Amino acid sequence: MTKDQFLTELNSYLSVLKPEDKKNTIEFYEEYFEDAENEEAAIEELGAPKKLAEEIIDFHKTSYKSENTQVSRQFSPDEGISEIILNITAAKVLINASQEEKIEYTTQNIADDDFSAKIENGKLIIKEKPVFFFSKKGFVSFLENFNINTSSNTSKREILINIPKDTHLEKLEFNSQIGSLKIEEVNVEVIEGYTTCGNFSVKSGLHKKIDFNTSAGAINISDIDIETMKLSSSAGAIKFENIKAGNISASTGAGTIDFIKTESSYINANSGAGNITGNELKSDRGKFNTGAGTNKFQKCDFNEAILNTGAGSIIFQGNLHSYAKINSAIGSVDLNLPDKVENYDINIFSKQGRVKLNGENVEGRGDRLNLGSKTSDTNIKISTAFGKIKISTQEGE
């Protein structure tokens, strides 16, 4: 029997499966043969196509029975819940505000035996078993419903938690391996936790502190007024939109960091290989570092700012007050400032000496150049080893 004959026969025995499951199964065994060193040995290892098909069908029958399983439970205000702790393995958790008077959760596609909820000392503790301790039914459901690419939010395993609109929780803790968390319009003083492979999102609501880490997911924070945030993602993007904050700390290894209509007393943003962008960003003190990415800011207002990049560019359009330190190793620097050049004290260090002011080349003494006025209250220091420097001021428009 050849590979093609084996796959044709297997395909004929899988007619009872859903079309998508049948297609995915055949594609899996096509790849199996492609990776096999010896076709005959692979066929011998798989056994008869009919027997293999029977095993596959039995697997999916159990899975079909477990689809759309749902469990709900309500908790009365008398139970005094002030904190929620979520120890999640592979589910997508959605937490929303509701008009009801009770806290309620509903699960979707999670086997009863693999899920527990209890109240202990004012804490609602919700827990999923680790994947390899799932019941047989739960493990089949996990394989059927879960897509490892949690960044696209395609997991069908869900936990929906509704919180009464006027409830103020002291703390929400989320610990997960491959799950995601989305919170909307819920009042929680402190949100903290991590997910190894999943997204994290907070929209609206009253909060004092958010401290969250994700290894391979995106982070989105929007429409909140908060005291402090500390967010990190090893490989995902971080986005802030319509934010007022005291302190913001954001770091990512390979993702981007975006600030849109954000205002903060202090910002510390670091990206290894991704860009940092700001649109209508205002900060009293800010430090923005990229290794290989670009720092790009539009319509921004910085009082004290440090902008650093290794191999990327620095592009800034907006207001700079007090002082700004701009450092680039090999990338270009492009400043577009709203006042006349004499309203700034600009000190430039450039080994290559390639500096343009309002489109005209400017020559300095050696590798150093001073522009503007020494008496200005706004001091801008620019340093680059090999990058070009372009400065545009009001008279250049």
Side-chain angles (χ1 to χ4, degrees):
M1 179 181 289
T2 66
K3 174 193 73 173
D4 291 337
Q5 289 172 331
F6 183 95
L7 292 173
T8 299
E9 190 172 336
L10 178 64
N11 186 66
S12 67
Y13 289 127
L14 297 177
S15 58
V16 298
L17 294 185
K18 294 178 181 178
E20 183 179 359
D21 292 333
K22 183 178 178 181
K23 177 176 176 291
N24 291 338
T25 300
I26 295 302
E27 287 179 352
F28 172 83
Y29 285 103
E30 286 175 345
E31 293 178 4
Y32 179 89
F33 278 110
E34 289 176 4
D35 294 336
E37 295 182 4
N38 184 285
E39 185 176 300
E40 290 183 4
I43 292 173
E44 184 177 347
E45 184 178 342
L46 291 172
K50 185 176 182 180
K51 188 175 185 304
L52 178 60
E54 289 173 352
E55 294 174 356
I56 294 170
I57 291 168
D58 285 342
F59 172 88
H60 281 287
K61 279 182 178 178
T62 307
S63 173
Y64 295 159
K65 290 178 182 178
S66 66
E67 285 182 353
N68 299 318
T69 55
Q70 189 177 82
V71 177
S72 295
R73 183 178 172 187
Q74 291 184 332
F75 299 91
S76 168
D78 297 336
E79 296 178 86
I81 296 172
S82 61
E83 297 184 22
I84 296 178
I85 299 176
L86 300 162
N87 295 315
I88 302 301
T89 301
K92 178 167 65 176
V93 178
L94 309 172
I95 303 179
N96 299 318
S98 75
Q99 300 298 326
E100 302 298 326
E101 295 182 355
K102 298 180 179 180
I103 293 176
E104 178 185 38
Y105 74 76
T106 303
T107 68
Q108 188 76 30
N109 294 315
I110 300 175
D112 300 354
D113 295 340
D114 303 316
F115 177 88
S116 65
K118 65 179 180 178
I119 296 177
E120 190 175 279
N121 299 323
K123 300 176 183 178
L124 171 57
I125 303 171
I126 294 177
K127 185 177 181 180
E128 257 191 304
K129 286 183 181 178
V131 171
F132 292 104
F133 291 95
F134 278 179
S135 63
K136 181 179 179 181
K137 177 182 176 183
F139 190 71
V140 171
S141 175
F142 166 76
L143 293 176
E144 173 68 16
N145 292 312
F146 185 75
N147 184 328
I148 192 64
N149 184 19
T150 55
S151 61
S152 61
N153 285 329
T154 55
S155 172
K156 296 179 183 178
R157 299 172 56 82
E158 291 185 353
I159 301 172
L160 174 62
I161 304 175
N162 290 320
I163 309 291
K165 194 165 186 177
D166 295 330
T167 298
H168 291 259
L169 297 173
E170 294 177 8
K171 183 178 177 182
L172 188 146
E173 181 181 336
F174 182 82
N175 305 305
S176 178
Q177 284 70 54
I178 42 181
S180 63
L181 174 63
K182 185 176 183 180
I183 304 171
E184 289 194 6
E185 300 182 350
V186 174
N187 303 320
V188 187
E189 287 193 15
V190 178
I191 302 171
E192 62 183 26
Y194 72 90
T195 178
T196 304
C197 182
N199 297 336
F200 172 64
S201 172
V202 177
K203 182 177 181 180
S204 193
L206 301 176
H207 314 287
K208 286 186 177 180
K209 178 183 177 182
I210 297 176
D211 188 343
F212 202 88
N213 169 263
T214 176
S215 297
I219 297 175
N220 287 278
I221 311 294
S222 62
D223 303 324
I224 65 171
D225 189 334
I226 191 169
E227 291 180 7
T228 182
M229 282 189 286
K230 185 178 180 181
L231 302 167
S232 62
S233 177
S234 299
I238 301 175
K239 183 179 180 180
F240 302 92
E241 185 168 7
N242 195 24
I243 302 294
K244 286 188 178 181
N247 296 325
I248 295 176
S249 175
S251 64
T252 179
T256 60
I257 302 176
D258 298 316
F259 298 91
I260 302 170
K261 295 182 178 179
T262 294
E263 182 177 340
S264 181
S265 299
Y266 175 73
I267 297 175
N268 186 4
N270 298 279
S271 177
N275 300 333
I276 298 178
T277 66
N279 194 332
E280 298 184 47
L281 171 62
K282 185 175 182 180
S283 176
D284 292 332
R285 290 188 301 128
K287 187 174 182 180
F288 305 88
N289 302 307
T290 62
T294 294
N295 273 320
K296 185 176 182 180
F297 302 95
Q298 295 179 309
K299 300 179 182 179
C300 292
D301 194 310
F302 293 164
N303 187 45
E304 299 175 0
I306 299 174
L307 311 179
N308 298 316
T309 185
S313 300
I314 295 176
I315 302 169
F316 182 88
Q317 182 269 317
N319 292 300
L320 292 173
H321 311 282
S322 188
Y323 75 83
K325 294 181 180 180
I326 300 171
N327 305 301
S328 171
I330 60 176
S332 61
V333 175
D334 187 344
L335 298 184
N336 191 326
L337 305 172
D339 292 330
K340 295 181 179 180
V341 69
E342 55 261 32
N343 291 332
Y344 305 97
D345 176 17
I346 304 174
N347 304 288
I348 299 173
F349 172 80
S350 174
K351 287 185 177 180
Q352 299 298 318
R354 295 175 293 180
V355 179
K356 283 190 175 184
L357 173 63
N358 297 324
E360 300 292 332
N361 291 326
V362 181
E363 298 295 331
R365 181 178 296 177
D367 52 14
R368 298 184 182 275
L369 175 66
N370 296 320
L371 299 174
S373 171
K374 290 285 186 182
T375 62
S376 173
D377 293 332
T378 301
N379 178 246
I380 301 173
K381 296 180 183 290
I382 304 173
S383 176
T384 179
F386 301 101
K388 296 179 181 180
I389 299 174
K390 176 185 173 184
I391 301 173
S392 300
T393 59
Q394 187 182 65
E395 64 264 40
E397 296 179 352

